Amino acid sequence: KNNVSKIFSNKDSFIAVYTNQKKVIVWGGIQMPNSLLTLKNVKNVFSNNNTFIILYEEIDGSDRKQKIKCFASNAIYILNKNNVENLENVKTIYSNSESFIVIYGDDNKLDVCGNNNFLGELMNEKDNIKDIVHVVTNIGAYCLLDSEGTIHVFGHNNFIKNLPEEKNMKNIKKLYANHGAFIAVNNDDTAFVFGLESHGYVSNNN
């Protein structure tokens, strides 16, 4: 008997995780890939509009590796799939409506997967960004904070408007997000709001 422990959803599909052996089943608009039929030890599931990513543990004797499987209704939503599925020591995953950031490794490096329009320059810059300590997302963009207190903003051009001056993107200690804007708070407790005017951006950010 397979008892369901958790159910996740995206725009048109569901995925259920079974209690025994931590296996999964998918139904709805996304067809279940054959590669999931024997997948075990599921740790978590992440989703956005069109995609699921499964975080699972690969066990070989005493060797344990956290890896991921990606699948979507269309290949455009999981560009770079092969690279991220080969990552080991995956820590966690963040998403906007059509892409994902995968944090992995001992120094919290990142890789990406998804619709390139919703990653922006992050696809090209991802190898230059390390030691990520915090990430917030909105519907179309990411704001990443590294261990030195610098923020990095990437995503769809429609959602990365009104960015702070470069000097105000350093010495940041906290990040917040809503559907279309971000707030970065620096070490002096000054807040900088950026993003869409309709979601909170104000020209006087002090």
Side-chain angles (χ1 to χ4, degrees):
K1 182 179 178 179
N2 290 315
N3 296 317
V4 173
S5 62
K6 295 180 180 179
I7 295 178
F8 303 86
S9 65
N10 65 12
K11 185 170 64 176
D12 60 4
S13 304
F14 292 97
I15 181 168
V17 181
Y18 292 143
T19 302
N20 64 319
Q21 296 184 316
K22 298 293 185 181
K23 297 173 73 172
V24 298
I25 186 170
V26 181
W27 71 99
I30 299 178
Q31 298 295 313
M32 182 168 173
N34 291 334
S35 61
L36 298 185
L37 295 176
T38 57
L39 187 68
K40 299 180 181 179
N41 304 309
V42 172
K43 309 293 286 185
N44 206 349
V45 176
F46 303 85
S47 66
N48 62 19
N49 282 355
N50 304 285
T51 310
F52 288 114
I53 290 187
I54 298 175
L55 177 65
Y56 70 99
E57 192 170 52
E58 185 178 85
I59 302 174
D60 183 10
S62 60
D63 188 25
R64 293 173 176 260
K65 301 174 182 177
Q66 288 210 146
K67 305 186 71 174
I68 60 175
K69 290 284 186 182
C70 314
F71 56 103
S73 56
N74 189 300
I76 190 175
Y77 301 123
I78 48 174
L79 296 178
N80 203 41
K81 170 181 182 289
N82 291 339
N83 283 350
V84 295
E85 287 191 340
N86 286 326
L87 298 175
E88 298 178 355
N89 192 19
V90 173
K91 302 286 188 63
T92 191
I93 296 166
Y94 300 91
S95 69
N96 61 26
S97 60
E98 293 196 13
S99 67
F100 293 90
I101 288 177
V102 181
I103 306 295
Y104 71 99
D106 294 334
D107 52 354
N108 287 344
K109 293 180 289 188
L110 65 91
D111 209 328
V112 296
C113 174
N115 184 339
N116 281 348
N117 290 332
F118 285 76
L119 291 166
E121 288 301 312
L122 187 54
M123 181 66 81
N124 300 322
E125 295 293 331
K126 60 187 177 67
D127 293 334
N128 299 322
I129 304 173
K130 297 180 181 179
D131 295 320
I132 300 301
V133 296
H134 188 44
V135 178
V136 293
T137 72
N138 63 29
I139 192 172
Y142 301 94
C143 187
L144 299 83
L145 177 64
D146 67 26
S147 60
E148 295 182 350
T150 299
I151 58 172
H152 311 267
V153 184
F154 299 97
H156 197 289
N157 288 336
N158 289 347
F159 292 90
I160 54 172
K161 297 181 176 181
N162 305 306
L163 295 181
E165 296 179 32
E166 185 175 351
K167 65 179 182 179
N168 294 327
M169 298 177 74
K170 303 180 184 296
N171 301 312
I172 302 299
K173 64 179 181 180
K174 293 181 182 178
L175 298 175
Y176 303 90
N178 65 16
H179 202 62
F182 298 105
I183 297 177
V185 181
N186 68 16
N187 292 331
D188 296 327
D189 291 322
T190 300
F192 300 91
V193 186
F194 50 100
L196 302 181
E197 290 87 346
S198 58
H199 286 73
Y201 168 74
V202 289
S203 57
N204 181 1
N205 283 317
N206 294 316

